């Protein structure tokens, strides 16, 4: 029985080339790693946990929002992957789009206010190539992040050297892309296949969940994702703990680090009451309080990613984590 409701006719859409878009960011924002003058206790502690987890093979996971890439911190993250201090990275759809555009044209980020008024927001022809990659990924049984990383690494992308997804693909580090249908500009395009996105992004969710089976004694970090990261992490961890307990095994604790701009009280190790608006800040209750488990620990640092990511990098460099790997 067909649906009773009509759908929007995407054939009416007008796509323009990226050459006609004014971009707010160029690849010039990408920074070479450099040490910070100081390292605060949370970063020193998490760095030590990352090095220990690398030695034992426990999970070293990073979850991030797109602003981390927009702040030009790709090379810091590549150093963490090359050194083995990261073995899985989870991102949202916007991260994949910014990474793709920077690799393709050396620029990204449009003025939402301007282009939504002009009826052109997000409707740029070359960015829609991501939809073709996703459709191919679903056909090949690949995750979304793996497919985009492969396409950038193997394709004609002038900025591929600084592509997080391409470098991760070369290093065999999974980057999982967790997409909410309707959240990304690529979903506006006529060639968007929702079923393909569902297949490819869900595979990434299962890849990420499998990575968490080694989380005991490991580390999970969230830089700047207020909703996607904590929600994806919560469900993946629930699956892992369910399977672990069903086998009669115990799952030990892990360390968590959250870095964001929101001010939290020094008592962030305890959950805010439901009467407090901060109760609904998911990184706090989900990643810092509810999930680390027995023997686990959590740290929160308020700050701009341009400060916090380099400080974590510096803490690892002081431990010799980059010796013989990457630019460290």
């Amino acid at each position: 029985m067909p649906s009773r409701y009509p759908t929007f006719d995407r054939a009416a859409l007008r796509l323009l080339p990226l050459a006609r878009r004014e971009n707010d960011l160029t690849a010039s924002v990408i920074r070479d790693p450099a040490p910070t003058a100081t390292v605060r206790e949370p970063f020193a502690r998490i760095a030590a946990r990352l090095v220990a987890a690398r030695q034992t093979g426990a999970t070293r996971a990073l979850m991030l929002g797109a602003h981390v890439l927009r702040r030009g911190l790709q090379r810091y993250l590549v150093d963490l992957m090359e050194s083995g201090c990261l073995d899985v990275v989870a991102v949202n759809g916007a991260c994949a789009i910014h990474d793709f555009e920077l690799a393709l044209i050396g620029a990204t980020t449009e003025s939402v206010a301007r282009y939504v008024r002009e009826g052109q927001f997000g409707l740029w022809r070359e960015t829609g190539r991501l939809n073709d990659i996703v459709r191919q990924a679903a056909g090949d049984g690949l995750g979304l992040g793996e497919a985009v990383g492969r396409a950038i690494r193997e394709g004609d992308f002038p900025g591929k050297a600084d592509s997080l997804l391409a470098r991760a693909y070369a290093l065999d580090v999974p980057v999982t892309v967790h997409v909410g249908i309707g959240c990304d500009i690529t979903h506006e395009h006529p060639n968007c296949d929702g079923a393909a996105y569902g297949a490819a992004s869900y595979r990434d969710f299962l890849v990420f969940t499998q990575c968490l089976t080694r989380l005991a004694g490991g580390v999970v970090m969230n830089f700047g994702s207020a909703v996607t990261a904590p929600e994806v992490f919560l469900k993946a961890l629930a699956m892992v703990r369910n399977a672990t307990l069903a086998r009669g095994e115990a799952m030990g604790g892990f360390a968590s680090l959250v870095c964001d701009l929101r001010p939290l009280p020094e008592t962030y190790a305890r959950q805010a009451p439901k009467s407090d608006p901060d109760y609904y800040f998911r990184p706090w209750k989900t990643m810092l309080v509810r999930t680390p488990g027995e023997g686990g620990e959590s740290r929160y640092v308020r700050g701009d990613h341009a400060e916090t990511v380099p400080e974590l990098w510096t803490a690892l460099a002081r431990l010799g984590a980059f010796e013989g790997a990457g630019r460290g």
Side-chain angles (χ1 to χ4, degrees), residues 312-324:
L312 174 64
W313 183 94
T314 302
L316 287 163
R318 290 183 179 184
L319 294 176
F322 303 135
E323 293 177 3

Side-chain angles (χ1 to χ4, degrees), residues 183-202:
C183 291
D184 299 316
I185 61 173
T186 48
H187 305 160
E188 303 172 39
H189 289 233
N191 67 335
C192 179
D193 184 335
Y197 269 95
S201 190
Y202 188 67

Side-chain angles (χ1 to χ4, degrees), residues 34-67:
T36 58
T38 60
V39 170
R40 285 168 283 182
E41 184 276 339
F43 293 113
R45 179 58 182 165
I46 293 298
R49 292 290 300 251
L50 284 168
V51 171
R54 181 179 64 178
Q55 294 172 342
T56 64
T59 301
R60 291 87 66 199
L62 172 66
M63 310 186 78
L64 59 114
H67 274 80

Side-chain angles (χ1 to χ4, degrees), residues 213 240-252:
T213 60
V240 170
R241 280 189 172 149
N242 179 280
T244 300
L245 293 173
R247 294 193 300 267
E249 302 173 4
M251 180 176 172

Side-chain angles (χ1 to χ4, degrees), residues 81-195:
M81 292 190 297
E82 288 184 338
S83 67
C85 293
L86 288 180
D87 67 349
V88 60
V89 180
V91 304
N92 59 18
C95 282
I97 292 169
H98 288 311
D99 193 69
F100 179 87
E101 290 186 344
L102 283 167
L104 182 65
I105 65 167
T108 191
T109 307
E110 61 194 294
S111 169
V112 178
R114 170 188 170 179
Y115 285 114
V116 76
R117 285 195 304 267
E118 297 178 4
Q120 199 59 49
F121 172 65
L123 293 165
W124 309 102
R125 188 173 298 124
E126 294 88 342
T127 306
R129 288 169 51 187
L130 277 166
N131 291 329
D132 298 329
I133 295 170
V134 171
R135 185 182 294 109
Q136 185 67 46
D140 293 345
L142 299 181
L144 200 161
E146 181 180 7
V148 175
R150 180 181 70 176
I152 295 174
R153 176 169 171 76
E154 297 179 354
D156 183 15
F157 289 80
K160 67 174 67 179
D162 283 316
S163 163
L164 180 69
L165 274 69
R167 296 295 295 275
Y169 181 80
L171 293 166
D172 200 21
V173 173
V175 173
T176 59
V177 183
H178 304 271
V179 170
I181 298 297
C183 291
D184 299 316
I185 61 173
T186 48
H187 305 160
E188 303 172 39
H189 289 233
N191 67 335
C192 179
D193 184 335

Side-chain angles (χ1 to χ4, degrees), residues 193-217:
D193 184 335
Y197 269 95
S201 190
Y202 188 67
R203 181 175 181 84
D204 271 357
F205 172 67
L206 296 180
V207 169
F208 180 71
T209 303
Q210 177 61 26
C211 290
L212 295 192
T213 60
R214 299 176 285 101
L215 186 56

Side-chain angles (χ1 to χ4, degrees), residues 216-244:
V219 180
V220 61
M221 302 175 288
N222 175 6
F223 282 74
S225 179
V227 177
T228 299
E231 290 302 304
V232 167
F233 176 68
L234 177 63
K235 280 69 173 187
L237 182 64
M239 292 165 68
V240 170
R241 280 189 172 149
N242 179 280
T244 300

